[in-house]
Amino acid sequence: MSDDARHDGTEGEHDGTDEDATARPRRTGWRRLLPTWRGLVGSALLLLLVVVGGLVAGYLLVGIPPANSAAKAQSNVYLYSDGTELARDGDVNRENVPLGHVPRNVQRAVLAAEDRDFYTESAVDPAAMLRAAWNTVLGKGKQSGSTITQQYVKNYYLGQEQTVTRKAKEFFIAIKLDREASKDDILQGYLNTSYYGRNAYGIQAASQAYYGKNVDALNTAEGAYLAALLNAPSAYDITAHPENRPRVVSRWNYVLDGMVKQKWLSRAERARMSFPALKRARTSAGLSGQRGYLVEAVRDYLTDHNVLDENTLRAGGYRITTTIDHRRQNALVKAVQTRLMDRLSDGRRVDGYVRAGGASVDPATGRVVALYGGIDYAKQYVNGATRRDYQVGSTFKPIVFASAVDNGSVTQDGAPITPNTVYDGTSKRMTLSHGRATGFAPGNEDDRSYGPITVSEATDKSVNAVYAQMGIDVGPDTVRKTAVSLGIPAKTPSLGASQGAISLGTATPSVLDMAQVYATLAHHGKQLPYTLVDKVAKAGDALDLPEREESAAIGRAAADTTTQILRSVVDGGTGTAAQGAGRPAAGKTGTAENDKAAWFAGYTPELATVVAVLGQHPETAAQEPLYGAAGTARLNGGDFPAQIWADYTAAALRGRPVRDFDLQLQDGAEESTSAAPSASGSESPSGSASSSTGPTGGTGPTGTGAPTGTGAPTGPTGEPTLPPIPTEQPTTAEPTEQFPIFGPPNGEEMARRWGGG
C-alpha cells in the first residue's frame, strides 16, 4: 500500500517539476514587441506565396492583345486662346520593312543604345525596372528600365499612358511574347514601331526623314544617330534644337563606343567616323507658316513641364487650348514682315542668312500671347523664338544692374551702384578686382571711349567698358544667380562658363527666355513663370497643369530702378525707335559677337516683348554675320528689332488706355541724369573716382576719373568706323568665353569680339 501510494505521489510531483523545467520563459518588456523567428519565416512564406500566385495569375489572365491601331488614327487639336482652331497634328508617317533590309551594323547600333543583351537576356529585367523606379524616386529623371521586348509591347500592343496597370500588362505580355516569337521578329517589330522624331514611325521612315535614303543604304554612323534618337526623339533632332548638339553627340559616341565594347565594331573603324550631316526637315502642310512653330513650342512646354510625356502626347486625342492671342499673333507676324522681311532681296547673299524670332508675354499673368518662329515652319525648321544658341549681347546688361542694386553692390572704391554712379567708359580699359588686373578689357562699339560716364548714360549708349567693370564689382556668380531668378534657365548654354564676360551677354538664352526676364522687370521684380497652355483635355477630362507660383526674383526697388534706366534708353539712347509704339516704354538693344544677332527687349507696364534678328547659313546652319543685311551697313538692335517691337506693341495695345510706369526707386536713384560729369574727380587705382558731392547732395563717391596711363579720355568724333567684315569661318559652337585672372589682354582681339551694343 505504501509502495503504491508513494509511487503515485512521487510520479505526480515529478511530472509537475519536468513541465516547469522545460517550459519557455515568458517574454517581458520590449522583447514582447519583436516577432519570433517562426513568425518571420511564416510571413516570408506567405508573402512569397502571394507574389508567386499573383505572377501565375497575371500570366494566365493577361493575353497578347491585337495590335493597337487606335492611337495611330488620332490627332491633337491646338486652339488659340479664344477657342478658334490653330492647327492639327497626328498624320502618321510609317513604312514597315523586313529585318533583313536593315544593315546588321544599324541593328547593332540600336541594341548598343537600348538593350545590349537583347539576344541573351529574358524578356523582362526586374532588377533594371526596380533600379529605374528608384532613380525616378530620387529625382534623376524618368527611367524606363524596359527591355526592347517591353518597349515593343508598349508601342505595338498597348498605349503610352504611365499607369501601374499598363506596366503590369506590359510585363506579362512581354514574357508571353518572348515564348511565342523569335528575337528577330521582336527586333523587327521594335524597329518598325519606334518613334524617331520628325513624325517618323519606324526606321525606314526615319532614314528618309533624316538622310533622304532607304534604310538599307544607311552607314554605321548614320545608324548610330538614329539609334541615339530613340532616347529623346524630338529633343535630339539638332536641326530643330541646335543647342542640344553636345548632348546628341555625346549620346552618338555612347552608341558607337558600346558597339566597340560588344566587339561589333573595331576600334579602327570607330576612330574613322565623324558625326553625319542631316537632311533638312520637311513638315506637313498642316503645320506650315507659323502653325508649326506654335505647335512645337506648345509640345515642348507640355513635355518639359511633365504634363504629358512625348509618347503619350504623340498618341493623340488631346484638345489643347493655348495662350496665344489670335489678333496679337497676327500683329507680330505683320510687324516682322513689313519691317524686315519685305526689305530683303534675293540679290544680296547676306539676306539669305536672315532669320527672326519674337515672343510677347503678359507680365501680370505670365501668358505668352504671341510667338514668331520664322518665315515658315516648312522652310525654316528651327524655331527662332525658342532656340538657345545665339548670344543675347547687351540685352543682358540690365540683369547686371538689377543684380547690383538688389545685392547692394559697390564699386571698387566703395561707392553704391546707382544710375548716377560714375564709371570709366574708356574702350579696352582693364577691369580690376580688389585693385588687381583681371586680364579682361573689352572694347566699346566702334572702339569709342567715353571717359567718366554715369551708369544711366552708359546704359543709354551700351558702353561695354562700364558694364564689364560693374559685372566684376557685383561678382559673376552673383550676376548669374540673379539671371536665373529673373527667368533664364540655369542650364542655358555658356551661362555657367562665361565668367566676367557674362555681363556683356555671352550667354545664349532664347528669345522666350528673355521675354520672361523682361516681364519680371515689368512686374516689379515678381516672377510668374510663363505658360503657353490654358487647358489640356481628352475625352472631356481636363489634365492638371503646372502650378505657377509667383515669387520675388529681385526686390521692387531693384526692378523699378532698372526700369528707370531702361526708359532712358528708349527716350534718348540706342532704343529710340521703340518710341514708335506711342506708349511709355523701357527697353534695351543688344548685338551679338561679330553681329551674328541683333536684339531688342522691351516692355510697357502691360506687355513685355523681345525681338531678335539672327544670321544663319541656309545650308550649313552655321551662324553668320549680318553685315550689309537688308541694305544696311550693319544691323543693330535699335534698327529692325526695335522697329518691329514698336509696330507690334502699338497694334497689340491698340484701344487700351495708355498706362505709365509706377516706380519705387532705390535711394540715390531719384536724381538720375544722363549728363556726363566732369573728368576732374580724384582718380583712384581702381579706375573709379570720388567727388565731393554725392547724388543726393551729400558727401560720397560718385565717379570715375581718367584712366591711368591713357591721358584724358576722348569721346567719339566724326562718323563711326565700321568694323571689317570677318573673314574667318563662323562657328556654331556655343560660346564659352572666359577671362584670365591676370595678364594683359590682346586689345585688338577684345575690341573685335566685344565691340557692339
Side-chain angles (χ1 to χ4, degrees):
M1 175 181 147
S2 61
D3 288 341
D4 291 339
R6 246 191 337 268
H7 176 76
D8 292 340
T10 305
E11 184 178 42
E13 290 175 6
H14 179 71
D15 289 344
T17 303
D18 264 6
E19 288 175 4
D20 291 340
T22 59
R24 285 175 292 128
R26 288 181 174 273
R27 300 184 348 143
T28 59
W30 61 270
R31 298 176 186 275
R32 290 180 300 172
L33 302 177
L34 297 176
T36 65
W37 69 270
R38 291 186 179 88
L40 288 173
V41 172
S43 298
L45 290 174
L46 180 61
L47 178 61
L48 181 61
L49 183 63
V50 170
V51 171
V52 172
L55 291 173
V56 172
Y59 184 81
L60 294 175
L61 294 175
V62 177
I64 299 177
N68 177 14
S69 60
K72 303 174 188 177
Q74 297 188 70
S75 63
N76 295 311
V77 180
Y78 296 81
L79 308 173
Y80 287 106
S81 59
D82 61 5
T84 57
E85 185 170 313
L86 189 162
R88 289 175 179 263
D89 65 8
D91 295 334
V92 176
N93 175 23
R94 184 194 306 274
E95 182 181 349
N96 293 339
V97 293
L99 186 63
H101 286 194
V102 182
R104 178 61 62 88
N105 265 5
V106 175
Q107 297 178 37
R108 287 173 168 173
V110 172
L111 297 180
E114 297 295 311
D115 193 350
R116 295 177 185 179
D117 299 319
F118 170 72
Y119 276 99
T120 58
E121 71 178 2
S122 62
V124 295
D125 186 351
M129 294 172 67
L130 291 173
R131 183 171 60 251
W134 182 245
N135 286 337
T136 301
V137 170
L138 292 179
K140 296 181 179 179
K142 289 187 176 180
Q143 311 281 327
S144 71
S146 299
T147 64
I148 277 181
T149 305
Q150 287 175 273
Q151 293 181 57
Y152 171 52
V153 167
K154 179 180 66 174
N155 291 341
Y156 191 66
Y157 295 106
L158 301 174
Q160 302 294 336
E161 64 275 6
Q162 298 294 322
T163 64
V164 175
T165 300
R166 199 271 295 161
K167 290 295 290 183
K169 287 181 179 180
E170 174 190 301
F171 182 87
F172 291 115
I173 294 172
I175 294 174
K176 282 194 171 184
L177 187 67
D178 196 45
R179 294 173 61 90
E180 298 180 13
S182 70
K183 290 287 189 179
D184 282 351
D185 287 341
I186 292 172
L187 180 58
Q188 174 180 296
Y190 175 73
L191 293 173
N192 282 323
T193 57
S194 295
Y195 183 64
Y196 294 82
R198 294 196 179 182
N199 198 36
Y201 293 79
I203 197 162
Q204 167 64 14
S207 182
Q208 287 289 347
Y210 288 94
Y211 297 111
K213 62 175 71 171
N214 289 328
V215 66
D216 58 8
L218 289 175
N219 61 39
T220 303
E222 293 166 343
Y225 175 70
L226 295 185
L229 286 169
L230 294 167
N231 187 252
S234 296
Y236 279 12
D237 181 353
I238 57 173
T239 303
H241 296 283
E243 69 275 12
N244 288 342
R245 186 180 181 89
R247 289 173 54 201
V248 176
V249 172
S250 176
R251 180 71 178 175
W252 178 77
N253 284 324
Y254 166 80
V255 174
L256 291 175
D257 291 344
M259 294 179 70
V260 173
K261 187 175 181 179
Q262 296 294 116
K263 301 188 185 305
W264 296 333
L265 185 67
S266 72
R267 293 188 180 278
E269 290 176 298
R270 167 71 180 90
R272 289 195 296 270
M273 290 182 186
S274 58
F275 191 80
L278 305 183
K279 172 189 172 185
R280 292 178 61 184
R282 293 185 179 181
T283 59
S284 64
L287 295 180
S288 61
Q290 293 299 308
R291 293 189 293 270
Y293 300 118
L294 295 172
V295 167
E296 178 197 78
V298 171
R299 284 175 182 161
D300 287 347
Y301 180 85
L302 293 173
T303 55
D304 290 347
H305 290 80
N306 299 317
V307 178
L308 293 166
D309 62 68
E310 186 173 350
N311 289 331
T312 304
L313 180 60
R314 194 179 68 249
Y318 291 93
R319 192 172 181 86
I320 301 163
T321 304
T322 73
T323 59
I324 302 298
D325 183 301
H326 202 164
R327 182 179 65 84
R328 289 178 171 178
Q329 176 67 23
N330 289 340
L332 183 55
V333 173
K334 181 179 179 181
V336 175
Q337 187 66 40
T338 56
R339 283 292 185 177
L340 176 63
M341 298 304 173
D342 287 349
R343 296 192 56 178
L344 302 182
S345 169
D346 292 338
R348 285 187 296 264
R349 182 181 181 185
V350 66
D351 284 4
Y353 301 157
V354 174
R355 305 288 185 269
S360 185
V361 177
D362 181 340
T365 65
R367 300 171 78 250
V368 180
V369 296
L371 203 71
Y372 183 91
I375 58 168
D376 189 334
Y377 190 65
K379 298 176 181 178
Q380 295 177 5
Y381 191 59
V382 185
N383 193 329
T386 59
R387 64 188 303 169
R388 292 189 177 114
D389 58 337
Y390 280 84
Q391 295 176 346
V392 296
S394 294
T395 56
F396 196 92
K397 288 174 180 172
I399 297 174
V400 182
F401 178 75
S403 185
V405 177
D406 196 51
N407 290 283
S409 301
V410 298
T411 64
Q412 293 291 298
D413 56 4
I417 298 176
T418 74
N420 302 310
T421 301
V422 179
Y423 275 94
D424 182 352
T426 301
S427 184
K428 304 176 190 173
R429 185 182 70 82
M430 176 67 69
T431 57
L432 302 175
S433 178
H434 304 292
R436 304 179 72 180
T438 66
F440 182 50
N444 297 328
E445 183 174 6
D446 298 334
D447 200 25
R448 295 184 180 185
S449 288
Y450 295 90
I453 187 172
T454 65
V455 168
S456 182
E457 187 180 8
T459 308
D460 290 349
K461 302 178 185 298
S462 205
V463 181
N464 288 339
V466 170
Y467 272 89
Q469 183 61 58
M470 189 189 301
I472 300 298
D473 294 342
V474 179
D477 287 339
T478 302
V479 171
R480 189 175 299 110
K481 290 176 182 177
T482 300
V484 173
S485 295
L486 287 169
I488 292 181
K491 294 184 179 180
T492 296
S494 81
L495 182 65
S498 297
Q499 298 299 319
I502 188 175
S503 303
L504 304 185
T506 57
T508 59
S510 70
V511 169
L512 182 54
D513 293 334
M514 292 303 288
Q516 171 79 84
V517 169
Y518 279 72
T520 304
L521 294 174
H523 200 41
H524 307 295
K526 292 181 289 185
Q527 195 219 61
L528 186 60
Y530 74 76
T531 179
L532 278 157
V533 178
D534 276 340
K535 183 179 180 181
V536 180
K538 185 172 185 177
D541 295 327
L543 276 63
D544 292 332
L545 296 178
E547 292 289 338
R548 297 188 303 116
E549 295 184 2
E550 187 174 88
S551 62
I554 56 175
R556 176 161 185 172
D560 287 2
T561 307
T562 303
T563 297
Q564 180 197 32
I565 65 172
L566 294 184
R567 290 193 66 180
S568 180
V569 172
V570 174
D571 291 343
T574 58
T576 54
Q579 295 176 14
R583 299 197 173 237
K588 185 70 187 76
T589 58
T591 307
E593 177 187 345
N594 291 333
D595 282 18
K596 293 175 182 176
W599 298 67
F600 184 80
Y603 51 96
T604 66
E606 57 271 87
L607 197 62
T609 306
V610 177
V611 177
V613 178
L614 315 169
Q616 176 181 304
H617 195 285
E619 300 299 331
T620 67
Q623 294 185 12
E624 295 280 2
L626 290 174
Y627 300 115
T632 59
R634 67 183 303 176
L635 200 135
N636 291 313
D639 298 327
F640 299 122
Q643 295 165 12
I644 292 168
W645 185 94
D647 284 3
Y648 162 73
T649 301
L653 297 178
R654 186 170 293 123
R656 300 199 174 193
V658 175
R659 288 176 53 192
D660 203 350
F661 290 101
D662 176 21
L663 304 180
Q664 297 178 13
L665 307 180
Q666 74 172 136
D667 293 340
E670 292 80 1
E671 297 183 11
S672 176
T673 175
S674 292
S678 167
S680 61
S682 60
E683 190 178 313
S684 74
S686 68
S688 51
S690 299
S691 70
S692 60
T693 306
T696 57
T699 300
T702 63
T704 309
T708 304
T710 61
T714 58
T717 58
E719 292 298 319
T721 302
L722 297 179
I725 297 178
T727 57
E728 72 273 18
Q729 290 297 316
T731 177
T732 57
E734 63 181 57
T736 55
E737 297 299 328
Q738 299 187 13
F739 63 92
I741 300 304
F742 304 109
N746 182 323
E748 293 183 0
E749 175 67 5
M750 286 294 185
R752 183 186 69 80
R753 296 180 72 82
W754 301 111

